[in-house]
Amino acid sequence: MHMKYVEYLLELTDHFQEDDETETSISALASILNCSERHVKTIMQSLQNDGVIEWQTQRGRGKKPRLTVKMSRNTVLLIQAKKRVGVQQYREAFKLMESLGRVEQEEFRKWFSNHVGLTQKREKDAYEVDVLRYPFYETSLIMDPLWTTSRHDAHMVQQVFDRLVEYDAVSNRLNPSLARHWESKDGKCWTFYLNKGITFHHGRELTSTDVQLTFSRLMDEKDLFRTIDKIIICNRTVIQFMLKEVDYLFPRSLASTKASIVPVEIVTANPEKFKVFPIGSGPYKLTVHDENLIRLEVNQSYFSERPWLDQIDIIKTPTQYKAEAGHPFLLAAPDATWRQVKRVEDGASYISFNCIKNGPIRQQTIRRAICERLQPAAIRNEALDKEIVATSFIWKRSEQCKLKIIVRSNDFTYKGPALRIAAQQIRPGANHLRAAKYLQGQLHTMGIESTIDLVEASHLSSSENLAKYDLFVCGILLGEDRLLSLLATLQSSLYTIYPTVDDRTKKIIDKKVREIRLSQEESIRWTKYFEIEEMLKSIHAIFFLNHRFHAVYEPEDSPYEGIQLDSNGRVDYRKVWRRWDNKYRI
């Protein structure tokens, strides 16, 4: 249905009842449609050809035409919304959908579910292109690896960029990526050998100069990789990192999404554009990023294993369209026949006690009393909603810990000032306010009054806030390399653990982390890390709250393989593929 004059049809639906034959006149219609009488005849003929009206003219003086509008305004808008989806004008489609009645909205929702999911389109010479379309609530992505702040950002960076190495959390192995080999004789000078012939998405070859410029940028802008003393370019494919001290974990740090190699000249030319329309060397390249969708297309020149999915369309969608059965892996189960694929997050929400601020929290007796009030078993029973009680940043260690009820002291009295609580805000609507309110309630039962402020994550540990707040309720999500994520968190000024402890405690943390980096035995590294956690808990500098989990759903007999949640709680597109089955024939 073409409906060239759809705006005129909408005007008619406002003046004529559906399926009600009405006598009218050319002049009356000209007035309604705000056009000439001559043009009215053209419009009526076109709409009749489209089958949306019946237009009967009668011969003879005084005989008026008879008009029947064959559909309601909502039906017209429903058709237009579907047409907008067909030409990928999703924002306009959802805007039209909001003006529909409940019946039409439900019809559109069901129809839209057939638009998403996995489909095949045929290019010239019958080439089959596998396309995954799925709805996702609109979010402001930052895709420059240096400035990523959310799991959404990090997930997209993994698809668009490459790193020198890739860490496999399952095998605890470091695998080649841009670098085919790396070596060190002393743990202080590390040499990396790049694969030849790798190109960025815009066609330029990736060389050791790009590696050097990328890490220089990281060190200058974010004070990252502070252990690097200098970077030496040996030739186009060989580069050396000279460290200030021995670090056998250094190669693993290069698997971080922050360490994704970028064409620095493109970044420098327009930094803000690069955040939303990046150029990498990864398996997918970004080809569309607008108000309607984000599109990734497979990098046909990719140097490593080519992904099976040729194209991914992430449709910016209102919340009610996120979980439709047309999507092969969903965020909610449509019915009981779908099975859950679940991953518990490593990392946890926690409370940091500000041990350096003048006030009651500097007293260990006060901190201990609060921790006893917030004992894990009580949190499990009173505060959590299908979440897992944490006693560590590592959820398996929390799972192994038996929750014991500690007898609370009844002789505690508090005569100090009201405490100030800072609750971390990740983005609008995503924060740690619920946990902060639980903390506030428990403090109240102890006779301690408090206030809560939402504070942006990037400002949480600023000098101003360290002087202002007594307690910080926040959380961290660990990357695939959990140990390195933890070490970075422990010593980072961006989080609230290191900045809120005294100098003696800082020295203990620094010493333990140094021992971890000097060790080449993973079991010894983890033993020493947990010693840090236990020390922080023993002085009541930190109290763990809970772990979150992510889940997606798929049919029990799903032909899809590789649907595994990564540390960002996302399905890695690079690993998804589909078995042949006549039952699921596309």
Side-chain angles (χ1 to χ4, degrees), residues 441-506:
Q442 295 304 305
L443 291 175
H444 181 73
T445 65
M446 301 172 68
I448 303 175
E449 297 308 309
S450 61
T451 61
I452 299 174
D453 293 325
L454 280 175
V455 180
E456 294 293 330
S458 57
H459 301 137
L460 204 61
S461 58
S462 68
S463 56
E464 179 183 352
N465 286 329
L466 289 174
K468 184 176 182 180
Y469 294 104
D470 302 283
L471 299 146
F472 297 88
V473 182
C474 39
I476 62 168
L477 170 66
L478 303 183
E480 291 294 309
D481 193 330
R482 301 170 302 160
L483 181 60
L484 277 200
S485 291
L486 287 166
L487 298 186
T489 301
L490 282 176
Q491 293 182 302
S492 175
S493 61
L494 300 176
Y495 297 96
T496 59
I497 300 172
Y498 197 79
T500 58
V501 296
D502 58 31
D503 290 341
R504 178 179 174 275
T505 304
K506 284 185 175 76

Side-chain angles (χ1 to χ4, degrees), residues 16 24 39 41 43 144 164 209 218 259 276 288 294 304 355 358 442 474 477 510 546 555:
F16 298 92
T24 185
H39 193 43
K41 296 177 182 179
I43 294 169
D144 181 340
L164 292 176
T209 300
L218 290 168
V276 297
V288 178
I294 297 169
S304 189
C355 305
N358 287 328
Q442 295 304 305
C474 39
L477 170 66
D510 293 342
N546 60 280

Side-chain angles (χ1 to χ4, degrees), residues 208-364:
S208 53
T209 300
D210 294 297
V211 177
Q212 190 272 337
L213 290 173
T214 294
F215 281 93
S216 295
R217 176 174 177 251
L218 290 168
M219 295 161 68
D220 292 342
E221 294 281 355
K222 282 277 194 174
D223 196 26
L224 298 172
F225 296 96
R226 288 172 289 176
T227 60
I228 297 176
D229 184 29
K230 57 184 176 180
I231 303 172
I232 301 170
I233 297 174
C234 302
N235 61 34
R236 291 177 65 82
T237 59
V238 180
I239 191 166
Q240 289 184 329
F241 294 88
M242 305 296 295
L243 308 185
K244 296 174 183 177
E245 53 193 18
V246 175
D247 184 1
Y248 286 103
L249 284 175
F250 175 73
R252 280 167 57 173
S253 69
L254 306 187
S256 163
T257 54
K258 296 282 188 188
S260 299
I261 306 304
V262 302
V264 173
E265 80 281 3
I266 302 294
V267 181
T268 305
N270 194 332
E272 292 307 310
K273 179 181 179 182
F274 196 81
K275 288 180 181 179
V276 297
F277 218 102
I279 292 174
S281 63
Y284 289 101
K285 55 185 178 180
L286 186 72
T287 57
V288 178
H289 186 188
D290 58 24
E291 63 181 10
N292 294 298
L293 61 84
I294 297 169
R295 172 171 293 160
L296 300 176
E297 294 183 20
V298 72
N299 178 6
Q300 299 287 0
S301 302
Y302 192 52
F303 76 98
S304 189
E305 182 180 359
R306 183 195 190 280
W308 181 81
L309 286 174
D310 298 290
Q311 179 178 310
I312 299 106
D313 284 355
I314 305 164
I315 302 168
K316 297 182 179 181
T317 316
T319 305
Q320 62 264 42
Y321 294 98
K322 283 199 301 179
E324 294 296 340
H327 187 350
F329 26 91
L330 309 180
L331 300 178
D335 57 56
T337 65
W338 291 60
R339 67 183 178 89
Q340 186 183 77
V341 181
K342 179 179 175 181
R343 174 167 174 165
V344 180
E345 282 186 352
D346 270 319
S349 60
Y350 61 95
I351 300 168
S352 281
F353 293 82
N354 194 345
C355 305
I356 63 169
K357 177 179 179 287
N358 287 328
I361 295 302
R362 290 189 76 168
Q363 302 176 39
Q364 188 168 336

Side-chain angles (χ1 to χ4, degrees), residues 28 36 52 84 119 240 245 270 294 300 307 360 422 429 475 499 518 532 554:
S36 68
V52 295
R84 293 287 188 274
T119 60
Q240 289 184 329
E245 53 193 18
N270 194 332
I294 297 169
Q300 299 287 0
L518 284 170
I532 298 175
E554 64 175 355

Side-chain angles (χ1 to χ4, degrees), residues 85-86 88 90 110-119 133 315:
V85 168
Q88 297 173 3
Y90 296 106
K110 291 179 178 179
W111 174 87
F112 182 73
S113 70
N114 294 321
H115 177 77
V116 298
L118 189 62
T119 60
R133 295 190 189 96
I315 302 168

